[in-house]
Amino acid sequence: MAPISTPQTPFGRVLTAMVTPFTADGALDLDGAQRLAAHLVDAGNDGLVLNGTTGESPTTSDAEKDQLVRAVLDAVGDRAHIVAGIGTNDTRHSVELARAAERAGAHGLLAVTPYYNKPPQEGLHRHFTAIADSTGLPVMLYDIPGRSGVPIDTETIVRLAQHPRIVANKDAKGDLGRASWAIARSGLAWYSGDDMLNLPLLAVGAIGFVSVVGHVVTPELRELLDAHLTGDVQKATEIHQKLLPVFTGMFRTQGVITTKAALTLLGLPAGPLRLPLVELSDPETDQLKIDLAAGGVQL
């Protein structure tokens, strides 16, 4: 049975975009994935996003994606919302992945803006609509123009929000003004997809986070969110400021790289990266240790 959700919080409030653990030889580590998922849920996540960019989706096969979803569902699917990343820059392929995720038992879908081919807004509308039409699962859009090259315009978001299964947006656009208008006009459940802007986005109407730093500071993110929800602005701000070194340190380079390094330092499943991603250098690892310690992470 899927965890309880509401129209206001269709996937919970605190989700971590989980890395995909690999074994030393680069194979999928399903046991490690289950242990990491259990750790993250125990820490306070009420949802996990699998097979996103942080999960190295560009270098995992469709079969590996399916195996990962099934393994994590077996481990924590009764305690957390499992959202499967299915976005590609090929609508037909995305639809195939969406249907496979539904067969595997995923509770929802994350659909990123098609990247590299730079479709116009009408193409985006048709792409996301085709995905939403293809299954009975709720869909979270993922707006990240820094990676995709194309933003989802506010008018397009408002149009897409009319679809009964498009219920949320993960916002990594970095534009609080546009976010404010889109939240007000679309009525979508809005999730921060940029950890540095977690608190600012809450202030303009976001309801939660899809986080990378949740791998190491989920309890603090939960505390920040709870403080905001209860109106304790000062406490929420203090937690936000305490976490600034973590937000900075985890994104000094590509987030998967630093996240896997941090998990290894904490003795949690992670494993190597697949090319073209590479491990942190020794000086970079030393800097990450300094950043995490400055934010209160005990290594």
Side-chain angles (χ1 to χ4, degrees):
M1 183 193 316
I4 296 173
S5 64
T6 71
Q8 293 76 32
T9 58
F11 305 108
R13 288 192 182 273
V14 179
L15 299 87
T16 290
M18 197 178 94
V19 302
T20 300
F22 298 129
T23 60
D25 61 357
L28 190 63
D29 180 4
L30 293 178
D31 176 69
Q34 290 183 320
R35 288 187 286 118
L36 178 59
H39 167 81
L40 292 173
V41 174
D42 290 343
N45 284 281
D46 43 19
L48 298 173
V49 175
L50 308 178
N51 296 324
T53 310
T54 307
E56 295 180 74
S57 59
T59 55
T60 57
S61 69
D62 290 0
E64 288 175 324
K65 290 177 172 65
D66 184 73
Q67 293 169 37
L68 181 68
V69 170
R70 291 176 186 272
V72 172
L73 279 164
D74 284 345
V76 297
D78 59 340
R79 298 196 288 142
H81 300 270
I82 304 305
V83 180
I86 52 81
T88 73
N89 60 353
D90 174 354
T91 303
R92 289 180 297 176
H93 188 196
S94 297
V95 166
E96 291 170 1
L97 289 173
R99 290 172 175 163
E102 183 177 43
R103 289 193 299 269
H107 303 140
L109 306 173
L110 178 75
V112 71
T113 314
Y115 39 84
Y116 191 74
N117 43 15
K118 300 184 75 171
Q121 293 299 307
E122 181 59 27
L124 296 184
H125 182 265
R126 295 186 192 185
H127 172 83
F128 290 123
T129 299
I131 291 169
D133 284 344
S134 69
T135 80
L137 296 177
V139 175
M140 182 189 297
L141 307 174
Y142 184 11
D143 187 9
I144 182 166
R147 287 186 184 273
S148 68
V150 177
I152 312 176
D153 287 349
T154 300
E155 294 300 328
T156 305
I157 291 172
V158 172
R159 287 180 68 196
L160 289 167
Q162 297 171 19
H163 195 291
R165 284 185 293 280
I166 296 177
V167 300
N169 183 60
K170 177 185 176 184
D171 184 355
K173 188 178 281 177
D175 188 325
L176 292 172
R178 288 188 181 184
S180 299
W181 275 112
I183 292 168
R185 295 184 57 207
S186 70
L188 293 177
W190 212 262
Y191 291 84
S192 171
D194 182 344
D195 280 304
M196 186 65 83
L197 296 182
N198 284 346
L199 181 57
L201 279 166
L202 288 178
V204 298
I207 58 93
F209 320 130
V210 178
S211 174
V212 173
V213 303
H215 284 92
V216 295
V217 290
T218 287
E220 290 83 354
L221 294 180
R222 175 66 68 179
E223 189 178 12
L224 185 156
L225 178 64
D226 290 345
H228 172 79
L229 292 174
T230 58
D232 193 340
V233 176
Q234 180 176 345
K235 182 177 180 182
T237 302
E238 289 172 354
I239 297 168
H240 169 76
Q241 292 176 349
K242 173 188 174 184
L243 292 176
L244 288 175
V246 179
F247 297 155
T248 298
M250 291 287 281
F251 293 99
R252 287 187 185 275
T253 185
Q254 211 273 3
V256 185
I257 296 174
T258 48
T259 299
K260 284 199 163 182
L263 290 172
T264 299
L265 291 171
L266 291 166
L268 292 166
L273 299 126
R274 288 182 177 175
L275 287 171
L277 301 183
V278 295
E279 280 72 17
L280 289 183
S281 66
D282 289 342
E284 289 172 325
T285 300
D286 290 340
Q287 181 62 58
L288 178 61
K289 292 177 182 178
I290 293 170
D291 293 328
L292 293 176
V297 179
Q298 295 183 353
L299 300 176

